[in-house]
Structures are given as C-alpha cells and as structure tokens.
Amino acid sequence: MTEREERRFAEVSRDSVKLMAESSGVELSDDVAALLAEDVCYRLREAAQSSSQFMRHAKRRKLTVEDFNRGLRWANVDAVCGHGSQEPMPFRPAKEGELFFVEDRDVNLVELALATNIPKGCAETMVRVHVSYLDGKGNLEPQGTVPSAVQSLSEDLLKYYQQITRAILGEDPHLMKVALLDLQSNSKIAALLPYFVYVISGVKSVSHDLEQLNRLLHMVRSLVQNPYLYLGSYVRSLVSSVMYCILEPLAASINPLNDHWTLRDYAALLLSHIFWTHGDLVSGLYHQILLSLQKVLSDPVRPLCSHYGAVVGLHALGWKAVERVLYPHLPAYWANLQAVLDDYSVSNAQVKADGHKVYGAILVAVERLLKMKALSLSQTAAAAAAGEGGEAGSRQQQGLSAGGVLGFRESSPGLSPPPEPLAEAGLGIASHLQAGGAGCPWEDWTPVPLPAMYSELYSFFGDSLAVRFSTGPEVGSGPGSSQSHAGGPADGRKEPPGLERGAGGGAGSDTAARKMPQLTANLSISPRQDGSPRTEPAPPSLAATAPGRSVARSSSSSSSSVQRSRSSSSRAGGQRSSSGGGGGSGGAGGSSSRDVFPKARIFPPPHQAGAPTFSFLIGGRQMGRRCQGRRFQTSFASPSPAGGGASGGLSAMPPRTYAHKLPVIGRVSKPVRRWTYSHYSLHLPL
Amino acid sequence: MAAVPDGQIESDSEKETKPDVLNDGAGNITGTSTGVLSSPPNAASSATGDTKPVAPPGAEDQQTLIAVLQYLRKNNLLESVDILRREAGLSDNADDSQGADGSSLGSGGNADESGGANSLLNRVSIATPAAPVPAAPIKDDQPDVNVVLSAYSQKGDTALYETYYTGLKNFIESVLDCHRAELSQLFYPLFVHMYLELVYNNHEQEAKAFFEKFSGDQECYYRDDLRVLSAVSKREHMRGNETLLDFRTSKFVLRISRDSYQLLKRHLQERQNNQIWNIIQEHLYIDIFDGMPRSKSQIDSMSGSLAGETRREANKVKVFYGLLKEPEIEVPLDEEDEEAENEEGKPKKKKPKKDSLGNKSKKQDPNAPQQTRIPLPELKDSDKLDKIMNMKEATKRIRLNADTLPSICFYSFLNAYQGLTAVDVADDSSLIAGGFADSTVRVWSVTPKKLRRVKSAADLNMIDKESDDVLERIMDDKTASELKVMYGHSGPVYGVSFSSDRNYLLSSSEDGTVRLWSLQTYTCLVGYKGHNYPVWDTQFSPYGYYFISGGHDRVARLWATDHYQPLRIFAGHLADVTCTRFHPNSNYVATGSADRTIRLWDVLNGNCVRIFTGHKGPIHALAFSPNGKFLASGATDGRVLLWDIGHGLMIGELKGHTDTIYSLKFSRDGEILASGSMDDTVRLWNAARAFDEVETDDFTATTGHIHLPDNSQEMLLGTYTTKSTPVIHLHFTRRNLLLAAGAYNPQ
C-alpha cells in the first residue's frame, strides 16, 4: 500500500513499538518490531471500526473514549482507563522528540477541598416541549429557551458574563465596542438576560459618572437590538433605567462641564427605540412613559435639566406625543422658563444656560410638530380625496415618521412594529392619563388646528420660530434673537460641531453659526409669486381635477421619501461637516430676509381665494473638513391647511432639475453613532 | 448458519439455544393447538407443525439436520436426538450412512464425530460439492472459520490475478452498452474474492498492488467495505474478521439477464479463464432472468448490500400484509350515550361508525392473515377502554395531506450531556421514555398527570378492596412526580418501547439484556438474557405480549413476556441487526441490519419472507404504513426507501437528508411520512402520492425491475430544522399532531 493508503489510518511506527518494548524491558529485533507494529495498526483500525458502531447507536457524531473502550471490551481486550473525561487531553511531545505523552497535571486536593466556589453539579435532565411548527408552517419561536435547562449558569456563560461586563465597563474603548457588538448578535445569552438587566439597573448608583452611564446605555441598546433575545417583562426594567438617565437630575450635572445633555439625548432616543420595537411586550407602556414625562414637565421644583430630558423624551417619542403633552403644557411652562431667561444676574448664569437648553429643545420639538402636522394634514386631505379615512392617513404618517426617526429600524424589518400601537395609544390616552393630567385637559382634548397652533407658538418664540424656516446668511451672522444669543457659548464649546444643541439652542448665535449649515427656506407663494426658478409653474387647469391630486400626492410622497433618504444619509455627514457658515442656497431669490415671512402670509386666512400654497426649500453648503462646499438642499411642500389641496399639490413638485445635482452627503465611518443625533439636527426627516 | 465471531463459549451458547427452541416445539407437539390464546408454546408448536409436512427435507436440509444430530449426540442430548430424528423422518440408517459419507468425504479417514460434523458444515457452507476440500487439521476452537477460509487454499497462479482481472475488465468495457452495466456488477465481488485469496495465500505485496490498482474502479457505495478490506493484509487478520466471514458464508447474489450471462460465459470459456470461472462458481450466485438487461440506474438502486441483491425467489412467498379485524366492542354504546346527552353531534356520528365497523368485520381482507394465525392475548377491559378512547380521538383527527401539514411539537431533552440514546412515546402520547448512556431508563409524564407508584404490600393490605375506586386507592400519592428513573442496566440503553396498554416498558442495552419494567411499580420485572451481545433495538408487538429484539449477534429474537427464552430466533442477517419493527398485524417482523438489507420475517414459522436491498449504509429506522402494505426504511446514507411488501418491490426513494435517519413515522392515516435525522431536521414526505404513483404492472411484479423516477423534491413537503438537536424519535398523536424528540446538543 502506498503512502496515500498509509496516511488514511493511524500508524504506529516500528520505533514506537521498540520503545514500548524497551520500556517494559524487552529487546526486539527489527523484524519482530515491524511485524508487531503492523499488527498493532490493524488491531487499532479494527477497534476503531467496532467502536464506531457504539457511537452510531448512541446517536452521536463524536466518538468517545467510552465507545472505544466498549469496542475493546467486546473484543476481550482490557479497556484503557483514565481517559474518560470530556475535556480534551493535551497530547504533547517531549523535547527530545520521539516521545509523546498525555499531560497529567497535579491536582491540589487541599485547594480543591477548601475552594469556595464549589463546582455545580450537573443539572437535572429534563424534557421540555414547545410547538415548533404550526400546521407545518412558520417557526413560532426559536426552539425552547434553554435557560430553563441551565438554571444554574454554566461555567462558560458565567465567564462570558464576566468578560462582557468587564469589557463594557472597562477602560478600553475598542474592547467595549467588540463586547457591545457581540452582545448585539449573540444568540446564546438568553440565560444571562436577567443578569445584564440587573447590571443596567445599576445606573442609579453611578449617576455621578457620565461615562459609565453612557456605557450602560450602550449595553441597553445592544440588548434591545439583539434579535435572539426575548426581552419580555424585562422591557419595563430597561425602560426605567433609561428613563432614569433622561429625567433624573444626575449628580454629574452639578458640574456644568459635564455634558449630561448628550446622555439625555441618547437615552431619549434609546427610549423611543425600545418603545417602537418592544412596546408591544408591555401593555400601557406608552401611557406610563408619557405620564412620567408629563409629571416631570409640570413639576416646577425639578431642575431644568430634568425638564430638558422630558422635552427630548417627548420629542423622541414622536410628534404626537409632543402635541399631546408638551404643546398643551407650554403656556404654563413658558412662564417659568421666561422668568429664568429674563434674569440677567450673574448668579443665574448657569441656570440660564440650562434654560436655553430647554428652550432650544422645545423649539426643535414644536418645529417638528408643526412640520409633521402640516404634512399629516396634507396626507389627510389626499387620503380623504382618495376615499380613505383621515385617521388612516395620519396613522400612515406616523408610520412614516417612525421610519424616519429611527433610520436603523429599516434595516431590521422584523422588529418594526405595526402602526397600530401608537394609534391605539393616541386613542386611549385620554382615559388613561386623566388622573395624572396636571395642567392639561386630557378629557376634552381636541387637536388644535395648525394655524392656531402656529400662531400660538409664534407668540412664544416669536421670530426665532420663523427663523427656523427662513434663515438667510445675514440672519445667522446677525443679532438673530437675543435669547438664542446666550445659549450658544455653552454648547459650542463642548459639543462636536453640528450637534443638535447648536441647532436647537442657537440658530442665530455667533459661535454656533459657524458650525451650522446655513439653511435657507424659500417660500414661494405659487403660482402667483414664483420667484424661485426651482418650482415649476404649474398649469392651473389641471389643479382642480382629481387625477391631479393623486399625482400631487404621489409626487409629494415620493419627494418626501427622497428627502428622507437623503436626509438620513446626510445626517452624520451634515453634522460633522457643517461647521462654518455656508453660502446661501442657489436660487433663493427673495429669501434673504426673514421679513419675507410674516405669519400672515404663510398662513393666509382660509377664506382667501386662490388658496396659495407654500413650499420650502432648505438648501445650504456643506462646509466641513471633508465635503467642501458641496451643496445640499431639501425641499418640501405642504398644501395650505385651509383645504387648498386642489392647487397645493402641483406646486409641491420637487425641483428635480436641481435635485440630481445634489451630492450624496454623509458617507460615514461610524454607522453606530449616526442615528443617535440624527433627528435633532435641522435636517429633519419628514 | 449464523457465523459466530469468536470464542468457544459464545458459539456453544448460541447452539445451545437452538436445540432448546426445537425441543420446546417438539415437546409440545402433542398438545392441542387450539388451546388458550395466550400460550406461546402452542404458537411454537403450531409453527413446527405447519412447516414439517410442507417441506420434505432436501438434500441440503438433510445434511444440516444430520449435522445438528451429530452435535446433539456429541453433547449427550440423546432424547433430543430421538425426537428430532422422529420428527424429521430420518431413519437411523440414513443418519449413519450420511455420517459415514460425510466423514469419508471430509477429513479422509479421520472419522470421529467432530471431524464428520465439521466436514458436513464444510459442505453446507461450500455449496459446490465438487470443490476439493483440503484435509487440513482443524483446530477445535474455530471450526467454522477455518473451514470457511479453507476454500481459499486452492492452488492458483495468484500472480496472474491482475492479468485476469484486467482481461475481464477490458472485456466488460468492450461489450455493448446494454450489457456492460449488468456485467459490471461482477467487478466488486470478483475484486474482493481475488484480494482475499491473495491475502490468504500470503502474497501480501501482490495483494496491496492489486488493491491499489483496482479499488478505485469500485462503486462508491462499497467504500466502507473497501476500507475494512484494505486494512486486511495478513492471513492472520482474516481470522475473526466478521466482514470477511460474511463474504465467505454467503454467496454474493447478482442478477443478470440471460443474454449478458451467455456473453460472459462464452468469453470466459474462450479465454480458458478458469480462475475467474471458479470464483464465480464458488462464491457468486448468478440469478439469471429472461428479458431486457437492466440499466445502470436500475442496478444501482437495488445493489449496495453486503451480499449483493436479493434472489428473486426469496421474495415470492405470499405475505399476509392486511390488518387484523378489530374486535367488536359493545361497551362503548352505553358510555357514548351517556356522553351524548352533553354533545348532540355524537349519536349521529356514532351510528355510521358502528356500521362501518360491522362491515369491515364481515368482509375479510383477502390479504389479511387468519385472525388466529398467531395466538394473541385477549383484550382486557382496560384495553377496550383504551380502544374506545382511540376511536373517539380518531374522529377528531385532522386529515393530513400535502396542503394540511401537521403541526410539530418538539420534546427537547435538556442537560442530556450527549447521553440520550433512545426515545419512545406511548401510543396515547401521555408518556415519554428515554434510554440513556448512563444505563438509566427515564420515564416522563407528558400530561399534567403525575406518575405514581403502587403502594407497598403492607399498605396495600390496609386498602378496602371492595371499594369502587380501588384502582385509585392503590396508588401512592407520595410518590407522585413528573419523572421516574429506573436503574438496572449496566450499559447504555439503546432501545426502549412502551407496551400498548402502557403497563410495561421494554429496554434493551449494551449489556446484552432486554429488561421489562412495570410502569405501575417502576421496577424491573424480568431481564431477558439471550443475545449475549449488545442489543440495539427492541419493540413491543402492537397487541402486547410479544416483543422483538435484535442485536450485535446478528439475530433478531422473538420473545413473549412470560418466557425467559426466546420463542423464535430470526437468523440470516450478515451483520448486526440494528432495528426491529413489528408489522401492524403482529404476524410479521421487519429487521434492518448493518449488512444494508431489510428482512421481513414470519412470526409463525420463523421464515424470512422478504429481503430488501438497496440501501448503501446500515439501516437505522423502519416504519410500517398503518395499512400494513408498505414499509419505509432509513439508513446512514440519508435516504428513505419505500417498499411494497406484497410485491416485494422498492417503490420509492426519498433523498434529502444529509445524515443518518434515526426515525421514521407514518401519520395515522398514512398520508404523510415524517423522517427525523441526525442532520437536525424533520422532513415530511408525501407518502400517499408516492404510493399512488407506483406502477405495479405484471412485468415489474414478476421481474422486480423497477424504474424509479427521481422526484424526491416533489415528494418533500417540508423541511423543519431544530436548534442543534438531532431528531431521534417521531410520533404522531392520535389526532395527527407530530411529536419529535431529541437531545439538545450545546456545541
């Protein structure tokens, strides 16, 4: 037989036989040794052959020592003892070569006997049943959760747990990243879930350490995103931990140098993510969250950072939450905030800075509220025209907004919740919050019409609200609004460029202005006052026809989706690269002054004939380190709320001629972080 | 004659059991055969009674008988000798003359009894009397082996084997395509025999060269055998190697059309190629048929077993595959009526059901065996109640078909530490039993009802035996638990089986015993010893009382629970009997073996009535269809084969699994076949369609040449994966919910 044949089997060499013989004191001639070696090989193969049938009947794939010994025993050969352990036996050569031996370590019996960690006994063998496939279709749930099997954690799991927690809470950021990534994708850690949840609930004990809090939040996110984990009732515990980070006046926030704002923002996002993906696991979760946020908001004793948390929390939960909780509460809250902001004393400087934070957060929240409201109204109008219920439209809108808010959710379609929960939450909220409703008339809550809402908000924010829609270059550098002026310095110092804080707190402030993309809103009262070359003049004849409407709807929805994708892709890039004021948008003919947008013209009285509509174009120049001077723009259109859907649709056609020139903004290297700050920036997804 | 691997002790005990069986039958022959139903001796006696007149001993049988007689005489079992002689109708003269004949033929002058017996054995195993038998002095410890191997000692020019083989190869490759496939079947047996002959004659180098040169030509499904073969390179190795003994003791069966055979014969005669011709004569059995030569795929589908294909006549015996008629049960009427007050739909349903039952019982299925063909235990009241339950459940059964697939529940054995070796689920799906490598048998209750022991004898005395709920009172509530562990075996438990009344559990183990456990007391009742080697599988008859076991000693044994000795020994497999199954009518037993064949045995007379070849690996799963007409088998090759029992034909091949199939089960109505495998999947197959599409015209029935369409993918209804859990048992509940079981295997 050739070498090929020989390699297929275990071979015992002649020398080995001689060595063995010598070790027992027998001298062998070469011939004898060769014969013996050959026979040993044959017997070895024979034994392997016969032992393999024991393996086969034990329905295993792995041949064990016991199988081999059984084969030997039935061949009337003494079994080889002392190798029954399941653990691998290291088999190593001696330094001189020729000799191989099994490593046999000394066992310190004293140490073993006095050891405190008594090894756990084998868990009891048990049978568990679960429905794997119903009617031959679909896997209802992955087969059995094994934790029931390992009531006492296996050693490996325990080790894993220690390693992971140590890595996440440890010093090495790289290690932490790896650990988080594994936590996010490991399918076998169901048994450890309670332990991790317990660790996370430790947020309350480390409220002085922002870094640790941040890490724990990251841990939450990894757990939530792990598709193999069924969080079940642990959702509640996780939510309470996250809420703690959002709302509590953390010990860390005493020091103004600590950036606890970012933590709160991040926690708010996490909260909304948990809610969207796992909200259906705990009934009434939405109500409870809203209730506690509202409580904080209506409690004037609480520090401003708590209020800030409540606002961003509401914002993260969607514009509906803002509309229901924040908006009705605003008049009462405004007085307090105004008092803080108006106090120019030196001792108040810190508090005032905080106040600006809150102010900015509220501004961002209500602004999105307005946008979404406008959009939902247009949707409703279109839906009504198509014979659908208005509720469906708005619900759909909610779904859209949800999709936009949480960009990463699109990558995990399995987790995306149906739009129903929110709609249901919206309906049931009245009765549920009734008891705790401090200043808000939950009972007789009726949606405030958009114009009324706008005018009320305008009364609070004044021009700074309008500025959000119509900031020209000179506005950014100009005095803007006095309130926002003061908010800037605190943010700009600490935060990475382009963070939402800059957007929220100081759109018009000097320092922030450099870091902000210059936004230009371009209102064109079309078709009559069409100063912009981007909006195509629409043939008025088509405007009134139903097909026209449907075209408009489809086009507007398509444009909104374009925008969303663009804005989502532009988020991080825009944020990182947006330092420095950019040039104004290309064709913003009449848009240089905010005076162009008195509210009366944006929301003309409903009875006005012709129902003018407006469309926004937000354009700018990317002035970052990487994308130098690239232009970007977003445009959105909304029909006049006063039922001007007829002509509104057509003017909402996106400026396609320019759209294709737009660069794709924001190729980012850190996708994990991208979503965290996304929707606080001005590039709000629609 | 089953070849005994080694050792005097085993071979003796082996032989000792046989005369006992014969004795048992013979001793009771005078008794009435119409006696009490549950009397196995009667069963045995009727068996011998049937066979004796039918088969006047042929020459070969006679020789076997004489060999047995001489063996008996040698062991001073004179009484048995007389009985056997009387029964076989042999005169003393015949015996003596045969004996003398044998000894003179055999060892040439050495006419003592053992020599005579040996030479007789020699003649039995070497079927061509013309072959010269060497008069080598025979060692006492291994008579058979030497005799068997001695066939190789004939002188031949071994150096020319390579030339011979090449010559034949060239010839076969040059013949017409239609013959080539058939003649190619010769390669493998010739190759093996030539190689062994070289080894036996100590031409080690030539043997290696021969193997090296031609092993690549052999069909891939002989790979395992070739590996064993390649390890053998010395004459000493051949002694005690079971695989080799199989080659010798059995003739390799080939099926060749007459035309092809003539072609071969002419070629060999022209070339004066006596060496090959001798091998063909001595070790091969060529089954010649008239008609078209078979195609390559037809041949491949049937070959692969250790001993070639089945001889056609082996599958000609009529098999009564029909079901026994269900006993009429009057009791349910009242009971159902009581319940009917609650549910209005019941009475209507009940009526037609009763009628249909009545019809069935009037019309005897022509394919069904006589109701009393083998004695079956009488139905107890509890059995009747169970049957009623069964019928009730059956009315709620979901009709499965390709569109309505069953739901699957998976029973995961957790923390089994790779030790789960066998699983069974009670017919009513209330209990699940596991056999473990640590020698324990564990029984779990699947329902909320806990398992309780019967009270101790002292406590039982205190019970009021007249009370109505005495059956409840005898149970000891203190022992209620979900799990009962039963200790007794001293080796891994490879097979477990519930009795249909759930009062007993059988387990078979590596320690060579089969144990019967009571599920009332959870103790061992009997240990059945007989196999002496690991027992791979055991199963209760669907009617209880009988059970079958099969093991490493290559035989399957039929037992009755109240006999400590087997009633029948089914010998014929050339390798381990790996799985055993009862036919639904309890008259037949199917055994799968590591020799890659499936055999069907008649319980009544112990004959092998069907041999199915076609698997390319050891068979690990068998399942009868509920109507008794079909058999499904699964093997390590990952294929499921379907067999028509009545015609003795392969009717389907289901490919899809990628690892050993350990479990097969038909749905209760036979529409769906479920297969569970080591590859962590359960697959569902459209059995109804597979059976419908069978073309059983006369031609295929007579020749047995089937052509199987390759439609596994169409038959496959679904593949369901588990989470790293090999599926080792499948069970359909009475309502057609599929239960699967296996041990979770953390990597």
Side-chain angles (χ1 to χ4, degrees), chain B residues 244-377:
Chain B
L244 299 190
L245 285 172
D246 297 332
F247 282 121
R248 322 279 11 99
T249 50
S250 60
K251 285 188 151 197
F252 199 92
V253 181
L254 302 171
R255 256 191 231 177
I256 293 183
S257 72
R258 189 170 295 283
D259 292 348
S260 304
Y261 180 70
Q262 295 295 352
L263 215 58
L264 174 73
K265 203 169 165 186
R266 206 175 323 130
H267 166 77
L268 291 177
Q269 279 168 353
E270 277 170 13
R271 292 292 201 81
Q272 298 285 312
N273 205 338
N274 290 327
Q275 206 69 39
I276 287 184
W277 189 242
N278 280 344
I279 292 178
I280 292 176
Q281 290 279 308
E282 281 175 34
H283 301 299
L284 267 54
Y285 178 94
I286 298 187
D287 193 1
I288 300 161
F289 62 88
D290 293 309
M292 285 275 291
R294 295 186 296 166
S295 71
K296 179 95 173 83
S297 68
Q298 279 176 321
I299 292 168
D300 279 349
S301 71
M302 298 296 287
S303 56
S305 104
L306 203 57
E309 294 186 45
T310 321
R311 303 176 191 206
R312 266 173 306 154
E313 69 262 21
N315 286 348
K316 290 296 178 214
V317 188
K318 179 169 170 57
V319 173
F320 301 101
Y321 55 79
L323 299 184
L324 293 179
K325 124 187 120 178
E326 287 289 315
E328 284 188 54
I329 302 170
E330 295 89 12
V331 200
L333 265 181
D334 321 350
E335 203 179 313
E336 292 256 331
D337 284 344
E338 279 173 29
E339 279 189 15
E341 292 172 4
N342 303 332
E343 300 168 57
E344 291 198 10
K346 269 282 163 61
K348 286 175 199 163
K349 263 188 205 161
K350 184 70 196 105
K351 280 272 166 64
K353 186 137 178 57
K354 187 78 182 137
D355 287 348
S356 67
L357 259 182
N359 285 341
K360 220 188 262 173
S361 56
K362 273 170 217 157
K363 217 195 303 171
Q364 173 72 23
D365 183 350
N367 291 314
Q370 286 287 318
Q371 203 73 9
T372 55
R373 189 162 178 267
I374 61 165
L376 291 172

Side-chain angles (χ1 to χ4, degrees), chain B residues 22-197:
Chain B
L22 290 168
N23 270 339
D24 197 13
N28 284 279
I29 188 67
T30 46
T32 53
S33 57
T34 56
V36 196
L37 271 180
S38 53
S39 152
N42 282 336
S45 73
S46 62
T48 23
D50 275 359
T51 42
K52 183 172 42 109
V54 173
E60 206 167 300
D61 286 348
Q62 202 163 358
Q63 283 172 350
T64 317
L65 271 175
I66 291 164
V68 172
L69 281 174
Q70 284 182 343
Y71 178 83
L72 291 176
R73 202 177 295 158
K74 182 181 158 195
N75 288 296
N76 284 329
L77 299 166
L78 296 176
E79 202 178 336
S80 306
V81 172
D82 284 344
I83 294 167
L84 178 60
R85 184 177 292 152
R86 195 167 62 236
E87 279 195 28
L90 283 176
S91 66
D92 286 353
N93 289 339
D95 181 15
D96 290 342
S97 67
Q98 287 286 346
D101 188 26
S103 50
S104 64
L105 251 176
S107 39
N110 187 4
D112 67 342
E113 280 186 336
S114 77
N118 275 324
S119 63
L120 272 168
L121 285 171
N122 198 351
R123 292 192 52 187
V124 173
S125 48
I126 300 168
T128 43
V133 178
I138 294 154
K139 281 186 195 168
D140 263 343
D141 59 335
Q142 287 189 333
D144 320 19
V145 181
N146 267 328
V147 166
V148 164
L149 293 181
S150 66
Y152 274 136
S153 68
Q154 55 196 322
K155 289 282 169 271
D157 196 350
T158 48
L160 287 176
Y161 274 12
E162 221 173 292
T163 332
Y164 288 149
Y165 191 87
T166 318
L168 185 74
K169 195 173 150 191
N170 290 338
F171 160 71
I172 291 177
E173 276 168 4
S174 67
V175 296
L176 288 176
D177 282 356
C178 61
H179 300 300
R180 191 189 304 152
E182 290 209 308
L183 293 179
S184 297
Q185 297 176 83
L186 279 169
F187 283 140
Y188 176 68
L190 279 180
F191 170 80
V192 173
H193 284 287
M194 285 173 142
Y195 177 78
L196 290 179
E197 208 155 318

Side-chain angles (χ1 to χ4, degrees), chain A residues 1 56 61 133 136 143, chain B residues 208 408 510 662 678 720 723:
Chain A
M1 248 163 273
R56 247 184 283 131
R61 280 198 195 88
Y133 295 92
Q143 178 195 340
Chain B
K208 279 188 178 178
I408 307 176
E510 190 247 10
Y662 277 120
M678 191 81 164
Y720 305 98
K723 193 164 106 187

Side-chain angles (χ1 to χ4, degrees), chain A residues 1-2 4-6 8-9 35 38-39 42-43 45-46 49 53-62 64 66-67 70 73-76 86 121-139 142-146 148-150 187-188, chain B residues 195 204 208 212 227-228 230-234 236-237 240-241 403 405-418 420-422 436-437 442 444 483 492 494 510 532-534 536 552 576 578 618 620 636 659 662 678-680 720-723 725 728 744:
Chain A
M1 248 163 273
T2 61
R4 186 171 63 88
E5 205 57 50
E6 277 164 15
R8 203 188 294 171
F9 302 107
L35 277 173
E38 201 173 345
D39 196 59
Y42 174 75
R43 299 297 162 198
R45 287 169 210 160
E46 204 182 25
Q49 202 105 44
Q53 67 186 347
F54 291 96
M55 172 193 74
R56 247 184 283 131
H57 281 96
K59 298 168 176 92
R60 269 185 278 111
R61 280 198 195 88
K62 199 163 138 194
T64 64
E66 278 170 38
D67 291 332
R70 290 214 170 82
R73 206 170 66 224
W74 287 110
N76 289 326
Q86 297 283 334
C122 298
E124 184 67 15
T125 304
M126 56 177 77
V127 181
R128 286 287 173 268
V129 67
H130 70 105
V131 178
S132 301
Y133 295 92
L134 199 59
D135 294 335
K137 286 183 277 286
N139 204 349
Q143 178 195 340
T145 39
V146 184
S148 58
V150 267
S187 61
K188 293 168 185 158
Chain B
Y195 177 78
E204 196 178 330
K208 279 188 178 178
E212 194 59 26
R227 196 178 304 139
V228 176
S230 68
V232 176
S233 56
K234 290 232 183 308
E236 292 76 37
H237 296 161
N241 189 317
D403 298 321
L405 295 177
S407 301
I408 307 176
C409 281
F410 203 98
Y411 285 87
S412 306
F413 285 73
L414 303 170
N415 304 326
Y417 307 109
Q418 299 248 328
L420 182 71
T421 44
F436 288 82
R442 290 159 196 257
W444 281 269
L483 161 70
Y494 291 121
E510 190 247 10
N532 289 327
Y533 281 96
W536 298 132
H552 181 61
D576 303 24
T578 50
H620 278 273
T636 55
D659 209 330
Y662 277 120
M678 191 81 164
D679 64 9
D680 298 350
Y720 305 98
T721 55
T722 68
K723 193 164 106 187
T725 309
I728 64 173
Y744 173 69

Side-chain angles (χ1 to χ4, degrees), chain B residues 580-739:
Chain B
T580 53
R581 282 293 171 272
F582 256 100
H583 190 276
N585 68 19
S586 199
N587 277 261
Y588 296 91
V589 160
T591 55
S593 164
D595 68 4
R596 308 190 280 273
T597 63
I598 299 147
R599 282 172 187 251
L600 192 69
W601 310 86
D602 192 337
V603 166
L604 179 66
N605 49 30
N607 288 335
C608 177
V609 290
R610 290 285 181 273
I611 304 174
F612 297 128
T613 61
H615 272 297
K616 317 286 190 246
I619 287 140
H620 278 273
L622 288 171
F624 281 98
S625 69
N627 61 10
K629 278 172 90 169
F630 303 104
L631 178 68
S633 62
T636 55
D637 58 8
R639 300 183 311 151
V640 178
L641 296 183
L642 301 173
W643 310 91
D644 181 333
I645 294 169
H647 295 97
L649 290 176
M650 186 197 297
I651 53 166
E653 179 190 19
L654 306 174
K655 283 185 281 196
H657 281 295
T658 57
D659 209 330
T660 306
I661 293 163
Y662 277 120
S663 178
L664 283 170
K665 197 81 178 187
F666 281 95
S667 67
R668 292 277 172 158
D669 42 17
E671 299 270 337
I672 302 271
L673 174 66
S675 61
S677 158
M678 191 81 164
D679 64 9
D680 298 350
T681 59
V682 175
R683 284 170 205 258
L684 299 179
W685 308 89
N686 194 342
R689 184 173 153 199
F691 296 146
D692 286 345
E693 284 179 3
V694 175
E695 27 153 344
T696 43
D697 51 80
D698 290 342
F699 174 75
T700 50
T702 48
T703 59
H705 303 158
I706 35 99
H707 184 73
L708 292 174
D710 188 12
N711 57 356
S712 296
Q713 283 313 307
E714 299 162 42
M715 296 296 178
L716 181 62
L717 297 178
T719 304
Y720 305 98
T721 55
T722 68
K723 193 164 106 187
S724 73
T725 309
V727 184
I728 64 173
H729 189 75
L730 291 168
H731 177 82
F732 275 97
T733 68
R734 287 167 178 175
R735 297 190 189 183
N736 265 339
L737 174 71
L738 179 55
L739 309 182

